C-alpha cells in the first residue's frame, strides 16, 4: 500500500454519503448545469448578434480566461470569507449575468457576461471542491471523489446537447434564463453546508503549491492529459471522415462515459492500494488512445481510441486529485482545488488552440500523433512523483 494513502482497511469503513454531501451535490449540479447549458450556446448567440466570425472564439476565450483567473484567486477568498460566502457568491455570479444575457445584444455586453460567469464558475468549483474534500472521509477519499465525478459529469453530458437543442426550439432568451435560474436556485442549499474555518496545518498558497513538486507534478501530468481532452471535443468532428456524423456522436458519448467509469474504479482501487501507482498506467492509456486517433478513416479505431483515452483520462483525474489532497493539510484543500482545476481548464484550452495550429501544418492524423508524443513527455514528472513527499510543508 502507498504510505501516503490512508489505510482504508483499518476498522469499519466510515460513512461516505452524508446530508452535507447531498446538499453539496445540489450546488454542484446547479453550477455545472448552468455552465454547460450555455457553453455551446453563447458563442452562437455572439455570432448571431452580429459579432462576426471571430465572436464565438472571443466569447469562449473570455469565459475560460476569467475562469482561470478566478481559480487562482479563490483560495485567498475562501481563507478570508469561508466556504459558504464564496460558493454562494460564485453561484450568484454564474446565474445573475445569464438572466441579462438576452438584453446584451452588443458584443461588449456578451463579453462582460462571459467574464462574470467565468469568475462565478471558478469560485463555485474551487470553493466547492475544497468543501467537498473536507466532507469526504480520508479513508474513502478516492471513492468519494469518484462519486463526485459521476455527479458532476451528468450535467455536462446532458447540458451540452440540451442547450443546443433548446435554442432551436425556444430561442436564446429562455435558455439563458433557465441557465441563470438553475444556478440561483441552488444557492438555497448553501446555508445547510458547513462553514468551518480551515486552520488545521500551515497555510498553503497557490504560489507555494506551484513551487512544491508534491502538488506541481501530479497537476502537470493531469494537465497534459487534459490537452487531449480539449482536442478531442473540439476537433474530432472535423478530423473524422465526412459523412461519419454518427461515428462522432458515438465517440463523444463513449469518451466521457469511459472516463466516469474509470474514475469510479480508480477511486475504489486507490483507496485500497494507493493512488500513486495508477498515475503512470492512466497516462500511458491516455497517450495510447490519442495515438489510435491517427486512423481517422476507421470508425472502429476512432471509437476504440476515445474509449482507451477516456479510460486513461478518468484514472488520471481521480488519482492525481486524490494524491494532491492527501499531500496537504486541510488548510490546503482550496489550493489543491485551484491548481487541479487550472490544470484542467488551461490544458483543454492550450490543447485546442495548439492542435489547430499543428493540424494546419501537418493534417489531423499527424497532429494526433504529435499530441500522443507530447503526452508521453509527462512520463518524466509522473515517475518523479513516485518519490514526492506526502505533504506540503510536511
Amino acid at each position: 500500500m502507498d504510505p501516503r494513502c490512508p489505510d482504508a482497511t483499518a476498522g469499519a469503513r466510515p460513512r461516505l454519503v452524508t446530508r452535507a454531501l447531498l446538499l453539496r451535490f445540489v450546488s454542484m449540479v446547479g453550477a455545472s448545469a448552468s455552465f454547460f447549458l450555455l457553453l455551446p450556446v453563447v458563442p452562437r448567440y455572439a455570432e448571431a448578434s452580429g459579432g462576426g466570425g471571430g465572436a464565438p472564439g472571443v466569447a469562449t476565450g473570455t469565459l475560460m480566461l476569467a475562469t482561470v483567473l478566478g481559480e487562482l484567486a479563490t483560495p485567498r477568498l475562501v481563507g478570508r470569507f469561508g466556504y459558504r460566502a464564496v460558493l454562494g457568491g460564485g453561484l450568484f455570479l454564474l446565474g445573475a449575468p445569464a438572466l441579462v444575457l438576452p438584453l446584451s445584444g452588443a458584443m461588449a455586453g456578451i463579453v462582460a457576461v462571459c467574464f462574470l460567469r467565468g469568475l462565478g464558475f471558478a469560485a463555485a468549483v474551487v470553493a466547492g471542491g475544497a468543501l467537498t474534500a473536507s466532507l469526504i472521509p480520508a479513508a474513502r477519499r478516492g471513492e468519494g471523489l469518484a462519486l463526485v465525478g459521476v455527479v458532476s459529469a451528468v450535467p455536462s453530458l446532458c447540458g451540452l446537447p440540451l442547450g443546443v437543442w433548446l435554442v432551436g426550439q425556444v430561442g436564446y432568451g429562455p435558455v439563458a434564463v433557465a441557465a441563470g435560474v438553475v444556478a440561483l436556485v441552488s444557492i438555497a442549499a448553501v446555508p445547510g453546508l458547513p462553514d468551518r474555518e480551515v486552520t488545521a496545518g500551515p497555510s498553503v498558497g497557490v504560489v507555494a503549491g506551484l513551487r512544491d513538486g508534491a502538488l506541481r507534478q501530479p497537476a502537470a501530468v493531469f494537465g497534459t492529459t487534459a490537452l487531449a481532452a480539449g482536442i478531442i471535443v473540439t476537433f474530432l468532428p472535423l478530423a473524422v471522415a465526412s459523412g461519419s456524423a454518427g461515428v462522432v456522436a458515438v465517440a463523444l458519448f463513449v469518451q466521457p462515459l469511459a472516463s466516469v467509469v474509470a474514475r469510479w474504479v480508480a477511486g475504489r482501487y486507490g483507496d485500497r492500494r494507493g493512488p500513486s501507482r495508477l498515475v503512470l498506467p492512466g497516462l500511458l492509456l491516455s497517450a495510447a488512445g490519442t495515438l489510435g486517433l491517427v486512423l481517422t478513416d476507421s470508425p472502429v479505431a476512432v471509437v476504440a481510441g476515445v474509449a482507451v483515452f477516456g479510460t486513461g483520462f478518468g484514472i488520471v483525474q481521480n488519482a492525481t486529485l486524490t494524491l494532491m489532497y492527501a499531500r496537504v493539510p486541510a488548510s490546503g484543500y482550496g489550493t489543491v482545488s485551484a491548481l487541479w482545476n487550472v490544470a484542467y481548464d488551461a490544458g483543454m484550452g492550450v490543447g485546442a488552440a495548439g492542435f489547430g495550429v499543428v493540424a494546419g501544418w501537418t493534417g489531423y492524423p499527424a497532429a494526433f500523433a504529435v499530441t500522443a508524443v507530447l503526452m508521453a513527455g509527462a512520463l518524466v514528472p509522473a515517475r518523479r512523483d513516485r518519490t514526492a513527499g506526502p505533504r506540503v510543508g510536511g
Side-chain angles (χ1 to χ4, degrees):
M1 173 172 287
D2 188 336
R4 287 165 277 178
C5 183
D7 186 354
T9 63
R13 301 180 77 201
R15 183 182 177 188
L16 178 58
V17 179
T18 61
R19 178 180 179 274
L21 188 60
L22 289 174
L23 287 173
R24 170 63 192 126
F25 286 164
V26 173
S27 63
M28 183 186 305
V29 170
S32 295
S34 178
F35 183 81
F36 287 106
L37 194 64
L38 285 186
L39 185 60
V41 169
V42 173
R44 296 176 61 182
Y45 178 64
E47 186 175 33
S49 298
V58 172
T60 301
T62 300
L63 178 72
M64 299 314 298
L65 174 62
T67 299
V68 171
L69 293 176
E71 286 166 347
L72 293 173
T74 298
R76 185 178 293 274
L77 295 176
V78 169
R80 182 171 182 179
F81 299 108
Y83 291 132
R84 288 201 300 252
V86 178
L87 177 56
L91 290 169
F92 179 81
L93 282 178
L94 188 59
L99 298 179
V100 301
L101 181 64
L103 307 176
S104 307
M107 193 62 198
I110 295 172
V111 167
V113 168
C114 290
F115 190 82
L116 291 174
R117 278 175 50 82
L119 293 178
F121 186 65
V125 297
V126 173
L131 175 58
T132 302
S134 72
L135 298 175
I136 297 173
R140 301 184 69 181
R141 181 175 284 126
E143 184 180 0
L145 292 175
L147 178 60
V148 168
V150 172
V151 172
S152 63
V154 173
S156 63
L157 286 171
C158 299
L160 288 171
L162 182 61
V164 174
W165 180 80
L166 284 175
V167 164
Q169 303 301 312
V170 298
Y172 292 106
V175 177
V177 171
V181 169
V182 74
L184 294 175
V185 167
S186 66
I187 296 175
V190 174
L193 295 169
D195 196 32
R196 47 183 177 264
E197 289 292 329
V198 182
T199 57
S203 175
V204 182
V206 172
V207 175
L210 287 171
R211 290 174 177 169
D212 195 290
L215 297 184
R216 186 181 64 251
Q217 286 164 180
V221 174
F222 175 55
T224 301
T225 61
L227 289 172
I231 289 167
I232 289 171
V233 170
T234 305
F235 287 99
L236 193 66
L238 303 174
V240 172
S242 59
S244 300
V247 174
V248 173
V250 171
L252 293 181
F253 177 77
V254 167
Q255 187 262 307
L257 179 63
S259 295
V260 169
V261 174
R263 284 191 76 171
W264 179 260
V265 174
R268 292 183 63 86
Y269 179 91
D271 285 341
R272 291 162 174 78
R273 301 295 182 87
S276 63
R277 64 181 65 193
L278 293 172
V279 177
L280 276 172
L283 175 60
L284 290 171
L285 283 172
S286 299
T290 304
L291 185 61
L293 297 178
V294 167
L295 302 174
T296 55
D297 291 331
S298 169
V300 174
V302 169
V303 174
V306 297
V308 173
F309 168 78
T311 300
F313 185 59
I315 292 171
V316 175
Q317 277 184 299
N318 187 275
T320 54
L321 186 57
T322 304
L323 275 175
M324 291 169 72
Y325 277 129
R327 291 172 175 176
V328 297
S331 56
Y333 286 171
T335 293
V336 166
S337 181
L339 293 178
W340 191 85
N341 279 288
V342 166
Y344 199 166
D345 294 330
M348 289 188 69
V350 170
F355 186 89
V357 174
V358 174
W361 295 337
T362 66
Y364 291 118
F368 280 119
V370 170
T371 302
V373 171
L374 290 175
M375 293 171 68
L379 290 170
V380 175
R383 289 179 63 84
R384 287 177 180 170
D385 186 65
R386 283 180 171 268
T387 62
R391 298 172 72 88
V392 171

